[in-house]
Amino acid sequence: MISHAPPRTTGPGPAAPGTAGRGRRSGAVWLGGAGLLVLPMSVAFAVTVGAAGLSIGEVFRSVAAHLGLPVTSLPPLQDAIVWELRLPRVLLAALVGGGLAVCGAVLQALTRNPLADPYLLGISSGASTGAVAVLILGLGSAAPLTTGAFAGSVVAFCCVLALAGAGMTSSVRVVLAGVAVSQLFSAVTSLIVIWAGDAQSTRSVTFWLLGSLASASWGGAALCAAAAGIALALCWAAAPALDAFAFGREAAASLGVSPARTQLTLLVTTALSTSALVAASGAIGFVGLIVPHAVRFVVGSRHRILLPACAVYGAIFLLWADTAARALFAPREIPVGVLTALIGVPVFAAVMRRRSTAR
Amino acid sequence: MSLDAHDLTWSANGTPIIDGITLSIPQGRLTGLLGPNGSGKSTLLRLLAGLLRPRTGTVLLDGRRLSALPRREVARRLAVVAQETSTDVDMTVTDVVLLGRIPYRTGLARVSRDDPDDVLEAEKALTWCGLAGWGERRWSTLSGGERQRVNIARALAQRPTELLLDEPTNHLDIHHQLDLLRMLADAPTTVIASLHDLNLAAQYCDHLLLMESGRLVASGPPAQVLTEQWMERVYRVRATVSMLPDGRPHLRYTSLDAASPASPAATR
């Protein structure tokens, strides 16, 4: 170890009082501002992409007409493409991406596990079990597929809570309970599919495991807006508690944070929110795992800044991934979960590399 | 301002870890908590910090039951530096020290921005720990000794009246151990630290507590606690105690097992 000066004689540092942290924070502010600018532009541009060529001007005209502004509206067919098909899908992609990234960041902090993602709590396998149950066991008349998926996720999450124990004194127990419940529900899904197997149920399972935004609707987008918005608001309000968790449960407790209450509140919030997102879009992988890491590399670990940044950049990321998924090999569409990894891994590698050389 | 414990007990799976401890911590001084491995030092510190609930007995902060006080209020009075805090979080030193201000912020104001008073408090704590100008360094690039000092700065940013540390000199070289203990002895608060090095404890502490198997067997100034009898009984070593000119004891040990008549150590 290189010896350094004893405490009292350490020389005056470069930072004058009051400037601590300013460099990094102005960077974060800059990045946040850029994200808020890029996000609406991305939405507008993504809507123009597709088989029917549309200009940005036409997109704005359609939106303005629907908002009741005095503009001449588009011909009905083009208007329907913008307003009924593309805009809900693009918005859904942004909302799901932002919501998953926020939930992933929160779960990584709570469990202090860098591999945690929104599906840690058994939610994706619960959703596919619920959906397949609705489809095959003929519950279809009683409940739509998305309701079944949502119910399945919630049941899976409740199993995780029961297994982990009310006190949740150990994050390892939460993670292990999540893994066990995921396996259980996957097995149940397989059992149902094999028992009453047909092509449609197999496709349905694939849909829920890979995720797709093709069935986007305004109703789904509104639900996801509520889910993602509430998750972001509640988690952001708990940002100091999440920061305190960085050094463990006991450190959080000694800083006046109640670890059990914080953990339970945030686990329930992220689980319900993820369940709603998954019900609308299936379990799109990678966004909730990698976006928080990439954003953390750039803006640091403080959740006050990290969570909004995750929301914005998760939204931008999934929006572009989905646009690429439907445009690259048009008219064939690739599952968006495939593209999130294909685009995400190089982006992540670049961020990681840049940061290790910056040190 | 006072920290007292009455008849504390705590057990894990039926095995008693803390077995009827009553104590009173002298105010504004450095108290060393001594005892062999497994004697219950860490558990006692956790009980005193309110991180564990005693099975029976009470911890009193200013005469009020610790378990009845809101956690946030406790965090404004008692700061804890845990033994193992190494973590690969990506935070700056300032960010880590600002964690110590969490107990003072309420409502949404605590989220939206860093309070200038908090930043000032963090800088004061860093300066006090000899870390002025270190605010922008990254936690992950610090050495063990530097992390320990940042942790103490974080604890001081809580403006505690009581500071509890679990083996703060672990993994530090002798130079850094001395720096750290000097700092703790000068700290403007009551400090309780568990220590393994008895001679360093003798040199820096005003008051010592000696534990054996979950019991407090001796307490008092170093000269009263660090005696040949206690060393033999609690640590199972033969010790020769000499008094230094500053009135503090100094120990030299030989293992009891090695003390056969033929060994040179026994001829002393």
Side-chain angles (χ1 to χ4, degrees):
Chain A
M1 186 159 80
I2 298 164
S3 145
H4 55 73
R8 294 313 163 76
T9 56
T10 302
T19 61
R22 194 162 289 168
R24 175 94 154 197
R25 262 147 231 171
S26 69
V29 168
W30 184 87
L31 195 83
L36 286 178
L37 210 67
V38 169
L39 181 55
M41 279 163 48
S42 300
V43 170
F45 181 78
V47 175
T48 66
V49 174
L54 290 163
S55 69
I56 292 238
E58 285 169 315
V59 172
F60 277 120
R61 254 173 66 203
S62 166
V63 173
H66 279 278
L67 293 178
L69 296 177
V71 290
T72 45
S73 55
L74 292 184
L77 181 65
Q78 283 170 314
D79 188 60
I81 289 176
V82 172
W83 190 257
E84 301 299 334
L85 286 178
R86 291 195 194 157
L87 196 55
R89 177 166 183 167
V90 168
L91 289 179
L92 184 71
L95 290 164
V96 169
L100 288 179
V102 168
C103 292
V106 169
L107 287 171
Q108 284 164 8
L110 278 183
T111 59
R112 296 175 75 200
N113 183 341
L115 292 178
D117 77 351
Y119 310 132
L120 177 79
L121 305 167
I123 282 155
S124 56
S125 45
S128 50
T129 307
V132 169
V134 166
L135 207 66
I136 293 177
L137 303 180
L139 303 170
S141 53
L145 221 52
T146 48
T147 313
F150 183 79
S153 322
V154 173
V155 170
F157 173 62
C158 290
C159 293
V160 172
L161 278 191
L163 259 183
M168 283 184 293
T169 46
S170 141
S171 59
V172 176
R173 276 185 72 151
V174 175
V175 174
L176 288 179
V179 170
V181 169
S182 291
Q183 294 294 326
L184 176 70
F185 276 76
S186 300
V188 172
T189 308
S190 304
L191 200 65
I192 300 178
V193 169
I194 289 166
W195 176 45
D198 55 31
Q200 208 207 338
S201 58
T202 313
R203 262 203 308 280
S204 176
V205 173
T206 315
F207 170 87
W208 250 279
L209 290 184
L210 281 178
S212 164
L213 296 153
S215 58
S217 68
W218 277 107
L223 259 175
C224 287
I230 291 171
L232 177 61
L234 287 180
C235 295
W236 190 73
L242 282 169
D243 290 345
F245 264 88
F247 290 90
R249 288 174 63 91
E250 209 160 64
S254 75
L255 290 168
V257 171
S258 165
R261 206 176 57 204
T262 306
Q263 202 167 17
L264 187 64
T265 316
L266 293 181
L267 283 183
V268 170
T269 303
T270 54
L272 290 181
S273 166
T274 307
S275 300
L277 299 174
V278 168
S281 66
I284 296 172
F286 206 72
V287 185
L289 175 66
I290 294 297
V291 169
H293 283 298
V295 173
R296 207 178 279 118
F297 280 159
V298 181
V299 306
S301 297
R302 296 198 67 193
H303 291 83
R304 182 185 67 181
I305 297 161
L306 176 67
L307 295 181
C310 278
V312 170
Y313 283 92
I316 294 174
F317 175 74
L318 190 58
L319 187 161
W320 281 108
D322 184 53
T323 306
R326 66 189 167 87
L328 276 186
F329 300 96
R332 181 180 296 176
E333 196 173 297
I334 353 174
V336 65
V338 173
L339 261 189
T340 50
L342 281 182
I343 299 176
V345 172
V347 169
F348 181 69
V351 172
M352 198 160 69
R353 200 182 158 78
R354 231 197 76 211
R355 201 183 80 122
S356 57
T357 52
R359 264 194 186 169
Chain B
M1 289 180 289
S2 66
L3 184 63
D4 307 278
H6 287 290
D7 200 24
L8 286 184
T9 64
W10 197 84
S11 54
N13 302 324
T15 313
I17 306 291
I18 296 295
D19 190 3
I21 287 187
T22 297
L23 54 76
S24 185
I25 304 293
Q27 291 308 297
R29 321 298 292 274
L30 172 54
T31 295
L33 181 57
L34 311 177
N37 293 334
S39 57
K41 300 188 294 294
S42 296
T43 308
L44 178 62
L45 283 175
R46 284 200 176 89
L47 288 167
L48 291 177
L51 296 174
L52 291 176
R53 285 197 166 218
R55 296 282 181 268
T56 65
T58 49
V59 177
L60 297 174
L61 187 61
D62 289 346
R64 293 193 291 166
R65 290 172 70 106
L66 194 64
S67 54
L69 294 175
R71 210 180 270 280
R72 183 187 294 271
E73 198 176 312
V74 173
R76 294 177 191 176
R77 288 285 316 273
L78 282 171
V80 183
V81 176
Q83 192 175 146
E84 193 52 68
T85 54
S86 92
T87 152
D88 51 15
V89 292
D90 185 36
M91 288 168 106
T92 64
V93 165
T94 298
D95 287 343
V96 173
V97 178
L98 278 173
L99 292 177
R101 301 303 296 168
I102 289 176
Y104 289 91
R105 296 274 80 83
T106 51
L108 278 183
R110 78 210 149 110
V111 190
S112 55
R113 66 196 175 89
D114 283 329
D115 191 284
D117 293 346
D118 287 347
V119 176
L120 210 67
E121 205 65 58
E123 275 167 11
K124 262 164 62 185
L126 278 173
T127 307
W128 202 89
C129 292
L131 298 171
W134 283 48
E136 282 302 282
R137 298 209 191 184
R138 314 214 61 79
W139 172 263
S140 48
T141 64
L142 302 182
S143 73
E146 291 161 354
R147 284 183 186 182
Q148 195 62 276
R149 272 153 68 193
V150 173
N151 264 326
I152 292 170
R154 189 267 302 149
L156 289 177
Q158 286 176 247
R159 298 297 304 266
T161 53
E162 267 80 20
L163 175 58
L164 283 70
L165 306 97
D166 195 0
E167 295 188 16
T169 55
N170 254 9
H171 310 303
L172 298 189
D173 61 43
I174 184 65
H175 176 90
H176 289 92
Q177 292 190 31
L178 295 178
D179 274 355
L180 189 102
L181 286 168
R182 182 78 264 149
M183 245 173 67
L184 294 178
D186 291 347
T189 62
T190 301
V191 181
I192 306 145
S194 61
L195 297 168
H196 269 307
D197 190 315
L198 303 178
N199 279 319
L200 286 181
Q203 194 177 340
Y204 286 98
C205 295
D206 307 299
H207 187 81
L208 295 177
L209 304 169
L210 181 62
M211 291 184 70
E212 183 194 25
S213 317
R215 296 208 174 104
L216 188 64
V217 290
S219 68
Q224 251 177 51
V225 175
L226 298 175
T227 63
E228 289 162 11
Q229 293 83 344
W230 281 123
M231 290 306 104
E232 182 157 344
R233 174 177 149 187
V234 173
Y235 284 97
R236 287 175 291 114
V237 292
R238 182 156 297 153
T240 317
V241 180
S242 49
M243 278 295 161
L244 296 180
D246 60 2
R248 292 174 183 268
H250 180 81
L251 305 177
R252 199 196 149 101
Y253 337 87
T254 38
S255 167
L256 278 185
D257 312 327
S260 66
S263 84
T267 61
R268 285 197 76 239

